[in-house]
Amino acid sequence: MASRLLHRHIREQLKDLKEVSHESLVVGAIENAFQLMDEQMARERRGHQVEGGCCALVVIYLLGKVYVANAGDSRAIIVRNGEIIPMSREFTPETERQRLQLLGFLKPELLGSEFTHLEFPRRVLPKELGQRMLYRDQNMTGWAYKKIELEDLRFPLVCGEGKKARVMATIGVTRGLGDHSLKVCSSTLPIKPFLSCFPEVRVYDLTQYEHCPDDVLVLGTDGLWDVTTDCEVAATVDRVLSAYEPNDHSRYTALAQALVLGARGTPRDRGWRLPNNKLGSGDDISVFVIPLGGPGSYS
């Protein structure tokens, strides 16, 4: 639903900008479009009996600038003459810990009697009541000690590390669309209040640099980035594009295919494996490659 309709919301919002004089107007229109998409999903989910949610990564080109809007754990990078320019960041329980904890602190009713907004290095055990343990709250980037009290025995709002990090022991991404009916397992506590539909929007001015046909914007879902670094993607960009003539447009399709296949790995006795024998990606792998320059001309 988002892939079919989100761009329409964005287009409608941009139509309202009679004269685009500042990029903040475009950013605001994109943010508003994401919210409208999320509201439409909420309205229609019952009639269509569709549940669940999704991440969204969007690129808009307007008046010489590229706007990259990300809500979720997908990622976009520009590879320009071998240089890597990040155009998004992932939104996970770890990266948004303080926002989640602040909401839990301000609205404790969202946590019920099951969760605590405080974070501890590990789950607190009943036998540790009265002892001192490291913790951090919504205001802290570092750690401090506190005396363990009865309410600290509740499950932490944010728990786990890396790909195993979860909000309320349920979901591993903190921004996206949908998930209006998502609840904690075996509970009536809704998780949607902690999930933001608003994207982070980054802007890249194409007019500030002369781009060649090998300069590209790469968009990928977490299935790509779970097993592939930015540097490895840049190396694949150089390897694949250098094998084609600059005016051969199939070079970009070949690059996207190489990135997908590289993250998937090859079948072996113990599953799909990468060249280093680590497991290939077990998640969805979707990749877009967008050229920033064309043969014989510069943007």
Side-chain angles (χ1 to χ4, degrees):
M1 183 176 181
S3 65
R4 289 186 294 106
L5 299 178
L6 178 56
H7 68 281
R8 296 185 183 180
H9 283 291
I10 294 173
R11 184 176 61 197
E12 289 300 315
Q13 291 300 302
L14 293 177
K15 278 183 180 179
D16 294 337
L17 305 181
K18 304 302 180 183
E19 183 178 326
V20 180
S21 58
H22 196 282
E23 65 185 40
S24 63
L25 292 174
V26 179
V27 172
I30 295 169
E31 292 171 334
N32 200 29
F34 271 67
Q35 184 177 30
L36 291 171
M37 182 76 255
D38 195 55
E39 291 173 353
Q40 182 179 356
M41 286 180 162
R43 290 193 306 270
E44 298 185 11
R45 74 184 193 277
R46 291 187 180 89
H48 294 282
Q49 296 183 336
V50 175
E51 303 295 343
C54 67
C55 299
L57 180 61
V58 175
V59 176
I60 299 99
Y61 171 74
L62 188 64
L63 299 179
K65 294 182 179 180
V66 171
Y67 297 81
V68 178
N70 182 46
D73 55 1
S74 297
R75 189 189 308 174
I77 64 171
I78 285 175
V79 181
R80 187 185 70 189
N81 193 28
E83 178 188 6
I84 298 169
I85 303 171
M87 290 301 296
S88 71
R89 64 189 175 103
E90 288 91 329
F91 291 101
T92 67
E94 286 185 308
T95 63
E96 292 213 280
R97 173 187 62 83
Q98 288 179 282
R99 177 183 73 80
L100 299 170
Q101 287 184 319
L102 177 60
L103 182 56
F105 171 74
L106 295 175
K107 296 186 176 182
E109 66 273 12
L110 295 176
L111 302 176
S113 59
E114 302 177 41
F115 294 89
T116 172
H117 76 281
L118 299 180
E119 181 185 17
F120 299 92
R122 57 174 174 77
R123 182 76 185 275
V124 182
L125 302 176
K127 66 180 182 181
E128 294 172 310
L129 277 170
Q131 298 181 16
R132 281 160 44 90
M133 182 178 287
L134 288 171
Y135 86 103
R136 56 184 177 181
D137 64 16
Q138 68 280 357
N139 300 309
M140 302 167 61
T141 55
W143 295 82
Y145 281 97
K146 79 179 294 291
K147 183 179 178 181
I148 297 299
E149 301 173 3
L150 188 61
E151 63 182 18
D152 296 327
L153 299 182
R154 299 172 181 174
F155 207 86
L157 169 62
V158 176
C159 62
E161 298 179 352
K163 289 293 290 184
K164 294 183 178 180
R166 293 290 183 269
V167 179
M168 303 175 87
T170 303
I171 189 169
V173 64
T174 54
R175 298 203 190 192
L177 303 171
D179 283 323
H180 295 278
S181 302
L182 185 62
K183 290 181 172 56
V184 175
C185 183
S186 301
S187 171
T188 59
L189 286 177
I191 295 179
K192 182 63 175 179
F194 292 97
L195 308 181
S196 173
C197 65
F198 285 97
E200 179 187 57
V201 184
R202 297 190 180 185
V203 186
Y204 179 80
D205 192 342
L206 282 169
T207 66
Q208 298 300 306
Y209 191 89
E210 291 186 344
H211 295 90
C212 72
D214 289 354
D215 296 336
V216 293
L217 172 62
V218 178
L219 289 73
T221 57
D222 58 334
L224 172 69
W225 305 108
D226 286 346
V227 297
T228 313
T229 65
D230 292 356
C231 291
E232 288 170 338
V233 167
T236 302
V237 169
D238 178 66
R239 174 176 58 82
V240 174
L241 295 186
S242 63
Y244 289 80
E245 294 295 326
N247 60 352
D248 185 349
H249 294 296
S250 66
R251 65 205 305 257
Y252 304 112
T253 304
L255 172 56
Q257 184 180 41
L259 290 170
V260 171
L261 295 179
R264 185 188 66 175
T266 55
R268 298 185 188 174
D269 292 339
R270 293 179 296 156
W272 293 76
R273 297 280 172 171
L274 304 177
N276 59 11
N277 206 38
K278 291 185 178 180
L279 282 173
S281 178
D283 211 334
D284 162 70
I285 313 169
S286 299
V287 175
F288 278 80
V289 175
I290 301 174
L292 301 180
S297 63
Y298 294 92
S299 55

